Amino acid sequence: MRKKIVAGNWKMNLNKEASLALVNGISDGLPGLSDMVRVIVAPPFVNIPYIQDASNRNARVEVAAQNMHFAESGAYTGEVAADMLQAIGINTVILGHSERREYFKEDAHLLTKKVEQALEHKMEVIFCFGEKLEDRQGGNHFDIVREQLSDSLFHLNDVDWDNIILAYEPVWAIGTGETASPEQAQEMHAFIRNLIEQHYDDEVADRVSILYGGSVKPANAKEIFSKPDVDGGLIGGASLKTEDFLAIINSI
Ligand code: PGA
């Protein structure tokens, strides 16, 4: 059975002290959590080692990176390689976030290379994708999602999919306070699982965790997570507050 996952994407927030307070607060709030639930936090690179040390106190909090480069090493000023992450024990990376696509011009070609590099290193990828407001309004959202998945993921083999977590994040719902309704999330997640079944088989489709992201908060998490094809959430703003993040985890 696929596990439930609640992942906090801290983005470019919190310095060392503030992020340590947050991870300690989360760890302290987790005893009793089912083994079927994974909790992941993704701090900025510079804070990863501190957060890891703190989370080692309570093995329930896993640490992921928010990004990585596609090359093994080399002249890429400011970038971080898969090998560097793995050498400090980071085996999960978020790729394809809409902010990376929008502000850093990461396109399908680049993202495909990043996904391949991560999988070559046997890293786990939280792959983000989702339509923009105009796509939703124009009724193209299913086509856009199909294209994003097929561009970057549908050339992978069945075994590769053991290391893929999907995060459907409609861009119009990220950081806007606007959330997809639980029905809209379920509809898209079922569509995605069906696409995977068509390209692979029902076993692969059944195994992959599909997270929802976009203004998830304590007030709406339970209803969104109650949908059969929603396996958890990728949380931005609400993952920065201990109480909110714990409340979201407890909604799963
Ligand atoms: P949000 O961000 O929860 O603040 O909308 C979600 C994300 O960007 O992953």
Side-chain angles (χ1 to χ4, degrees):
M1 218 177 108
R2 52 182 188 263
K3 286 198 173 183
K4 304 276 185 188
I5 300 169
V6 181
N9 174 11
W10 292 358
K11 308 189 181 183
M12 196 175 72
N13 289 299
L14 309 179
N15 62 18
K16 175 185 168 187
E17 201 182 333
S19 56
L20 277 172
L22 177 58
V23 76
N24 286 329
I26 297 166
S27 293
D28 290 346
L30 290 183
L33 186 69
S34 153
D35 283 348
M36 290 307 290
V37 181
R38 291 176 62 188
V39 176
I40 302 174
V41 296
F45 288 129
V46 71
N47 288 331
I48 285 179
Y50 307 115
I51 299 306
Q52 260 184 321
D53 279 352
S55 70
N56 282 342
R57 284 196 307 120
N58 170 344
R60 293 310 312 272
V61 182
E62 301 173 46
V63 184
Q66 295 178 17
N67 182 29
M68 57 164 246
H69 198 266
F70 62 80
E72 212 35 57
S73 63
Y76 297 102
T77 302
E79 293 290 321
V80 170
D83 174 60
M84 297 166 190
L85 293 172
Q86 287 200 296
I88 60 163
I90 297 298
N91 289 302
T92 302
V93 61
I94 298 173
L95 295 176
H97 193 279
S98 63
E99 287 150 17
R100 301 288 324 168
R101 293 178 192 256
E102 174 79 13
Y103 306 138
F104 302 96
K105 307 296 168 223
E106 296 198 0
D107 60 11
H109 178 66
L110 179 85
L111 288 172
T112 306
K113 292 206 284 185
K114 290 189 174 199
V115 168
E116 287 169 355
Q117 176 69 353
L119 294 177
E120 210 155 296
H121 280 260
K122 302 266 177 289
M123 289 179 74
E124 180 177 61
V125 174
I126 300 176
F127 187 79
C128 305
F129 56 96
E131 81 281 2
K132 295 185 178 157
L133 184 60
E134 62 261 32
D135 303 319
R136 171 70 59 169
Q137 286 171 337
N140 302 324
H141 44 298
F142 293 115
D143 290 341
I144 295 290
V145 162
R146 184 192 292 112
E147 197 177 293
Q148 288 172 325
L149 292 176
S150 66
D151 280 350
S152 298
L153 300 181
F154 284 163
H155 63 295
L156 303 177
N157 63 37
D158 289 26
V159 178
D160 289 332
W161 277 83
D162 286 341
N163 282 322
I164 300 287
I165 296 166
L166 297 178
Y168 168 60
E169 300 204 302
V171 179
W172 48 272
I174 297 179
T176 57
E178 191 82 40
T179 322
S181 69
E183 291 68 32
Q184 284 173 319
Q186 169 57 25
E187 181 186 38
M188 184 58 90
H189 284 221
F191 171 78
I192 293 162
R193 208 177 294 286
N194 196 37
L195 273 183
I196 297 167
E197 189 175 335
Q198 281 167 25
H199 279 83
Y200 298 90
D201 55 32
D202 54 347
E203 238 181 86
V204 177
D206 202 46
R207 231 168 40 219
V208 65
S209 294
I210 310 177
L211 314 184
Y212 169 80
S215 299
V216 177
K217 33 188 183 281
N220 59 23
K222 207 171 189 73
E223 222 191 320
I224 294 171
F225 294 165
S226 71
K227 297 294 176 193
D229 286 298
V230 178
D231 303 310
L234 180 56
I235 322 297
S239 74
L240 299 173
K241 294 184 205 112
T242 307
E243 259 126 72
D244 286 0
F245 194 55
L246 285 173
I248 292 170
I249 295 166
N250 287 323
S251 302
I252 205 143

